[in-house]
Structures are given as structure tokens and as C-alpha cells.
Amino acid sequence: MKAVQVRVTGRVQGVSFRWYTQEQARLLGVVGWVRNEPDGSVLLHAEGEDEAVDALVAWCHEGPGFARVQQVAVREAAPGGATSFEVTY
């Protein structure tokens, strides 16, 4: 099991990035959360099997069609015990 915190910068708000991240995470079996940050970035916490978390992080480099990702910063995180993947506010 792996847990990471990911900050995605660029044009990532107002393009349904959180919704598509939630859908991708659910398809991969990853749990955690995603939210918009005041600085215009998107922050997410992801937990799951190593390969599934890595696949979600790889997806974040592209994001949905209208997003323009500039940077994806990943750091290890402590597992939070989530049971689903949710959009938080």
C-alpha cells in the first residue's frame, strides 16, 4: 500500500479536474480526496496499491482535456484510512 499527496499546478481549476480525478481514482481503486486550493492549484491525497496510485499520479500529468498541467509535485504521505475517493471543499 502507498499513500501520496499530490499538488497539480497550471490551468487546473474550472476545468472539472477534481471530478475527473475522482472518476479516475474510483476506476483504479484508489481512495482519498481531491480539492481546489486558494493558490489555483489542485491538491489530492491518494492511497492504494502501488501500481494504482502510480497510475493516478501519471494521469494527473495530463488531466482532463481542458486542463493545462504545468507541474505535478508528489510527496509521500501517511495513510489516512479513507474508504472512498471524494471531492472536498
Side-chain angles (χ1 to χ4, degrees):
M1 294 295 280
K2 182 178 198 172
V4 296
Q5 187 174 69
V6 182
R7 182 175 302 275
V8 185
T9 58
R11 187 174 71 176
V12 293
Q13 290 190 14
V15 294
S16 300
F17 199 98
R18 292 174 299 163
W19 186 84
Y20 281 104
T21 302
Q22 181 184 46
E23 289 300 304
Q24 191 66 29
R26 288 178 175 174
L27 286 172
L28 293 166
V30 174
V31 298
W33 51 262
V34 60
R35 70 177 182 226
N36 284 343
E37 293 290 284
D39 65 1
S41 67
V42 169
L43 184 67
L44 64 110
H45 175 89
E47 302 178 24
E49 297 296 326
D50 290 8
E51 299 81 17
V53 172
D54 290 345
L56 183 61
V57 170
W59 178 87
C60 286
H61 283 85
E62 295 297 322
F66 291 111
R68 296 294 174 259
V69 175
Q70 291 179 342
Q71 184 178 16
V72 177
V74 182
R75 68 180 181 95
E76 290 185 29
T83 58
S84 62
F85 196 94
E86 302 299 329
V87 174
T88 63
Y89 300 91

